[in-house]
């Protein structure tokens, strides 16, 4: 029997946008009960269950993230972040899937517990497996920003601040063990979170066959104007297109319904139709991937010459349309 293949999550580091943090992250300590995985994902059409892991070991991955998010500078204090839980999961109801990440983290300065944080984050869509990396980055960013604004710095010189040992792997986490006025309270799951803030742009450029109109090779550009709406336009050899894409979730790589008008031969044929499509990225956190769409289109107008050449003089009222290529 072959071993079950893990689903690897690539946690792309990114600088957090806030001024003059008084700390940098010197160390990450893995205090989870189960260190073999960070959760279970459901992959493919049959929702095959796969253990999820980071590409590198847990502590190295998170330390790389934190050190990129909060670069070390002058007059900063070293912080140790102890991760007691970081778990992803997927839940499904009748119409959608949810990607959920749970975080339990303690922030230490010179062995003293400065801050404890517990929170969950949830996003939804038709296929949420590709959304976990952005969801994890977002919850880590939310937590560390909350720590930065917690007033921990003022506690350092407070004589009432008592040094507390870091929780060991064999100890049960006690939410009352946080510093006074800083007890960790789990935030309730929001109905639906917006896409992770690391997704700075969700615009898509696609190239390929039957992309950008009825083309042998074309290019199409989509501008995401809303979490669920994008407008697009394109052209190629030899055709044009324009329309609106309705996305199934706020993620950049979500599936979509494409309502568009297409031209072939620059006036030879014009159609209006609807297609279902999406992207298959080759690696979590990557932008480059396979682009596909398929649907049906009705003929608005067709030149007699093209009707004779393509349809033997009898064009159908509607026909199958598709496109395939690459996008980023």
């Amino acid at each position: 029997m072959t071993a079950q293949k893990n689903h690897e999550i690539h946690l792309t580091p990114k600088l957090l946008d806030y001024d003059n943090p008084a700390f940098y992250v010197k160390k990450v300590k893995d205090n989870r009960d189960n260190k073999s995985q960070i959760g279970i994902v459901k992959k493919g059409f049959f929702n095959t269950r796969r253990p999820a892991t980071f590409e590198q070991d847990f502590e190295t991955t998170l330390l790389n993230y934190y050190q990129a998010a909060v670069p070390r500078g002058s007059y900063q204090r070293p912080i140790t972040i102890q991760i007691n839980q970081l778990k992803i999961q997927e839940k499904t109801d009748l119409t959608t899937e949810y990607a959920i990440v749970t975080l339990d983290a303690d922030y230490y300065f010179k062995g003293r517990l400065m801050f404890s944080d517990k929170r969950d984050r949830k996003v939804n869509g038709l296929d949420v497996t590709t959304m976990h990396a952005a969801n994890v980055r977002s919850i880590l960013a939310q937590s560390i920003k909350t720590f930065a604004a917690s007033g921990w710095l003022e506690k350092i010189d407070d004589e009432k601040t008592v040094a507390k040992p870091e929780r060991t792997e064999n100890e049960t986490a006690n939410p009352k063990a946080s510093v006074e006025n800083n007890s960790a309270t789990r935030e309730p799951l929001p109905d639906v979170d917006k896409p992770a803030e690391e997704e700075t742009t969700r615009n898509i450029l696609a190239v390929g066959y039957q992309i950008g109109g009825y083309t042998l090779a074309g290019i199409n550009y989509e501008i995401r104007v809303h979490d669920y709406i994008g407008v697009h336009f394109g052209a190629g050899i030899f055709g044009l297109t324009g329309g609106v894409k309705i996305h199934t979730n706020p993620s950049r790589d979500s599936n979509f319904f494409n309502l568009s008008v297409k031209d072939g031969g620059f006036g030879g044929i014009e159609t209006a139709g609807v297609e279902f499509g999406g992207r298959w990225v080759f690696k979590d956190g990557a932008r480059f991937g396979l682009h596909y769409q398929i649907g049906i289109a009705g003929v608005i107008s067709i030149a007699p010459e093209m009707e004779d050449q393509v349809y033997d003089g009898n064009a159908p009222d509607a026909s199958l349309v598709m496109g395939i290529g690459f996008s980023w």
Side-chain angles (χ1 to χ4, degrees), residues 11-231:
L11 199 64
T12 306
K14 184 184 175 183
L15 178 68
L16 294 184
D17 184 19
Y18 63 90
D19 296 330
N20 301 320
F23 65 91
Y24 69 94
V25 179
K26 182 178 181 180
K27 181 181 179 182
V28 171
K29 181 179 179 181
D30 184 3
N31 194 41
R32 298 172 299 149
D33 292 332
N34 182 1
K35 295 180 171 60
S36 65
Q37 62 186 40
I38 60 172
I40 300 291
V41 301
K42 301 173 184 177
K43 300 201 68 173
F45 182 79
F46 297 103
N47 281 334
T48 304
R49 293 170 63 85
R50 297 275 183 83
T53 60
F54 291 128
E55 284 186 318
Q56 296 178 286
D57 71 86
F58 186 87
E59 291 182 350
T60 299
T61 297
L62 291 190
L63 185 60
N64 288 342
Y65 169 82
Y66 285 123
Q67 290 184 342
V70 188
R72 182 174 180 177
S74 302
Y75 309 108
Q76 290 180 325
R77 292 163 175 81
I79 293 297
T80 295
I81 301 179
Q82 179 172 279
I83 305 296
N84 305 305
Q85 184 180 32
L86 179 61
K87 180 181 179 181
I88 65 171
Q89 56 182 314
E90 297 178 8
K91 294 186 177 180
T92 306
D93 62 21
L94 292 178
T95 59
T96 191
E97 292 183 356
Y98 296 92
I100 302 170
V101 58
T102 301
L103 176 68
D104 178 355
D106 293 333
Y107 294 76
Y108 288 89
F109 173 66
K110 293 185 176 179
R112 292 185 292 177
L113 181 61
M114 295 285 104
F115 181 77
S116 292
D117 187 38
K118 294 182 180 180
R119 63 180 65 227
D120 302 279
R121 190 173 192 276
K122 177 174 71 171
V123 293
N124 75 328
L126 290 180
D127 183 5
V128 297
T129 300
T130 60
M131 302 171 68
H132 287 299
N135 210 22
V136 170
R137 286 195 301 269
S138 184
I139 202 171
L140 294 176
Q142 291 170 359
S143 180
I144 201 167
K145 286 183 177 182
T146 304
F147 164 67
S150 69
W152 68 275
L153 197 58
E154 287 75 12
K155 298 184 178 78
I156 290 178
D157 297 325
D158 189 344
E159 293 181 354
K160 295 180 181 179
T161 301
V162 179
K164 299 178 185 288
E166 299 182 11
R167 287 187 270 178
T168 64
E169 299 173 10
N170 297 324
E171 290 178 339
T172 302
N174 180 6
K176 295 182 179 179
S178 53
V179 179
E180 183 180 1
N181 298 325
N182 194 30
S183 61
T185 302
R186 181 175 301 281
E187 297 182 353
L189 285 176
D191 289 337
V192 177
D193 273 355
K194 292 185 177 180
E197 50 197 280
E198 288 80 6
E199 294 185 302
T200 55
T201 177
R202 290 174 285 174
N203 298 347
I204 297 287
L205 180 67
V207 296
Y209 174 70
Q210 299 287 294
I211 300 291
Y214 290 111
T215 63
L216 292 175
I219 186 169
N220 186 269
Y221 188 66
E222 178 193 2
I223 301 172
R224 198 72 165 264
V225 297
H226 183 270
D227 283 348
Y228 293 90
I229 303 293
V231 295

Side-chain angles (χ1 to χ4, degrees), residues 271-290:
T271 66
V274 58
E275 297 168 281
F276 178 78
R279 280 168 35 86
W280 180 58
V281 293
F282 304 127
K283 185 178 183 181
D284 281 336
R287 296 177 64 89
F288 187 79
L290 181 70

Side-chain angles (χ1 to χ4, degrees), residues 307-324:
E307 186 174 22
D308 290 339
Q309 292 175 3
V310 179
Y311 298 107
D312 198 21
N314 186 24
D317 293 332
S319 60
L320 186 71
V321 290
M322 56 82 68
I324 191 165

